[in-house]
Amino acid sequence: MLLRPYFAFSQAGLLGQNLKSRLQHSLFSTTAIAQRAKLPQEKERFKPDVTELKLGTYTQNSRRTGIIARKAGMTGMWDEWGVRVPVTVLQLDNVQVVSILKTSNPSLARLQIGCGTRKEKNVTKPMQGHFKANGIVPKAKLFEFPITPDAALPVGTEITASHFVPGQLVDVTAPSLGKGFQGVMKRWGFAGGPASHGNSLSHRVPGSTGNINPARVYPGKKMPGRMGGKNVTVMRLPVMKVDTALNCIWVKGSVPGHDNQFIKVRDSIKIVKHRLFPEGATVPFPTYIPGESAEQPRETVARIGGQDPLIPASD
């Protein structure tokens, strides 16, 4: 016959009370473990307090927000010297500031920018609450851009093509065109094997992928695989023209992605040889404000300057 312990017969007895108090104050109690644990302290978050939209002064340390545009396609235009330049047309479609995000760095802030519109029935419930809390119509695409606190914009501010200055340099980011599963010759530019002289069925193979020691394939080895479909950033592209009526900007060169693709456009951050903005240009800071900023014509074309390239230079 199994006998129960003595303290189990009377939980209200002296032995039961002592055992209960000892367990509560023991070293293995949940309270004691939580007190002894060195939990990481929550980082302090900073957020610029912006209530109204007003003009500021641009400095070299200032960092303006970027925008989201749709790729309309490619075309060509002639510069002031009559030289044909390939350009990509990027259209701004209802670009607005959706929210101001908190950061752990007091000298850096982040803006959430939205582009386009989307039906409410196609938006998830959490995102519907996010848009309603900020008083914004549901957007088709959202991106975040780091800025300096002096370039913060109030929630709901609309950003137009006048945000950019003709002749300035921008960086564009978008997913590249997906090309599916490709071999090493197309994906990495391998030369391939000989076309003849004893070569059989090994014309486009990658060749050896390892050796005896360490008898394994090194991580990052260039092999066949899925090509494209990843974010690509093309840096330092000049803005050739700004159209305020169509809300479009003309960017020199090609831009990654297909037509109607969402493109992230920001002021260039890698200034090597050229200035970010043309000399003497008025930079709309923190953005172009109708009624306060200088009135813009419908089309503004960048001035290349320098010498006419079609006239040979005299010795």
Side-chain angles (χ1 to χ4, degrees), residues 85-109:
V85 179
V87 293
T88 303
V89 182
L90 304 178
Q91 186 175 23
L92 284 69
D93 180 18
N94 296 326
V95 180
Q96 282 184 292
V97 179
V98 176
S99 65
I100 305 175
L101 307 179
K102 294 182 179 180
T103 61
S104 58
N105 188 353
S107 61
L108 188 67

Side-chain angles (χ1 to χ4, degrees), residues 46-48 100-101 103 105-111 145-149 152:
F46 301 92
K47 176 181 177 180
I100 305 175
L101 307 179
T103 61
N105 188 353
S107 61
L108 188 67
R110 298 185 73 86
L111 288 184
F145 294 93
I147 61 170
T148 51

Side-chain angles (χ1 to χ4, degrees), residues 42-303:
E42 185 178 357
K43 294 183 179 180
E44 185 178 1
R45 299 291 179 175
F46 301 92
K47 176 181 177 180
D49 186 13
V50 183
T51 57
E52 59 179 354
L53 181 61
K54 57 182 180 180
L55 291 176
T57 304
Y58 177 81
T59 63
Q60 292 184 352
N61 297 326
S62 299
R63 190 171 184 179
R64 305 191 306 163
T65 182
I67 58 97
I68 309 173
R70 286 182 181 269
K71 181 178 177 181
M74 290 196 68
T75 182
M77 61 174 292
W78 285 264
D79 60 12
E80 58 181 315
W81 301 116
V83 178
R84 184 173 173 83
V85 179
V87 293
T88 303
V89 182
L90 304 178
Q91 186 175 23
L92 284 69
D93 180 18
N94 296 326
V95 180
Q96 282 184 292
V97 179
V98 176
S99 65
I100 305 175
L101 307 179
K102 294 182 179 180
T103 61
S104 58
N105 188 353
S107 61
L108 188 67
R110 298 185 73 86
L111 288 184
Q112 188 182 57
I113 307 297
C115 175
T117 56
R118 178 176 291 181
K119 293 183 179 180
E120 189 173 355
K121 65 176 184 178
N122 297 330
V123 182
T124 60
K125 291 295 182 64
M127 291 307 300
Q128 288 182 14
H130 176 65
F131 288 121
K132 288 181 180 179
N134 294 284
I136 302 296
V137 179
K139 297 295 182 180
K141 199 69 174 179
L142 295 176
F143 282 125
E144 298 176 11
F145 294 93
I147 61 170
T148 51
D150 58 344
L153 298 171
V155 174
T157 303
E158 184 177 0
I159 305 176
T160 61
S162 300
H163 180 76
F164 296 97
V165 179
Q168 78 163 97
L169 302 179
V170 295
D171 300 336
V172 295
T173 303
S176 60
L177 294 176
K179 300 186 180 300
F181 196 97
Q182 300 296 334
V184 292
M185 292 185 66
K186 180 171 182 176
R187 191 183 186 198
W188 303 110
F190 282 18
S196 60
H197 293 280
N199 190 353
S200 300
L201 306 179
S202 299
H203 305 287
R204 301 180 64 88
V205 298
S208 176
T209 58
N211 46 26
I212 296 178
N213 188 15
R216 64 186 179 90
V217 179
Y218 287 110
K221 174 66 177 176
K222 294 180 179 179
M223 285 186 169
R226 187 172 180 177
M227 182 179 177
K230 297 181 179 180
N231 269 353
V232 177
T233 300
V234 182
M235 310 187 78
R236 301 170 60 203
L237 296 180
V239 177
M240 299 301 297
K241 186 170 69 170
V242 174
D243 191 328
T244 58
L246 299 178
N247 210 17
C248 296
I249 59 174
W250 274 252
V251 178
K252 182 179 179 179
S254 60
V255 171
H258 54 78
D259 290 350
N260 209 34
Q261 171 73 53
F262 290 106
I263 311 291
K264 296 171 64 175
V265 187
R266 69 183 181 194
D267 296 339
S268 183
I269 61 173
K270 186 178 179 181
I271 307 303
V272 179
K273 187 173 62 174
H274 303 283
R275 302 168 61 97
L276 173 59
F277 296 98
E279 187 174 0
T282 302
V283 182
F285 186 80
T287 187
Y288 179 81
I289 304 176
E292 296 187 20
S293 303
E295 187 176 356
Q296 300 289 335
R298 171 174 176 174
E299 292 185 357
T300 308
V301 182
R303 307 292 294 181

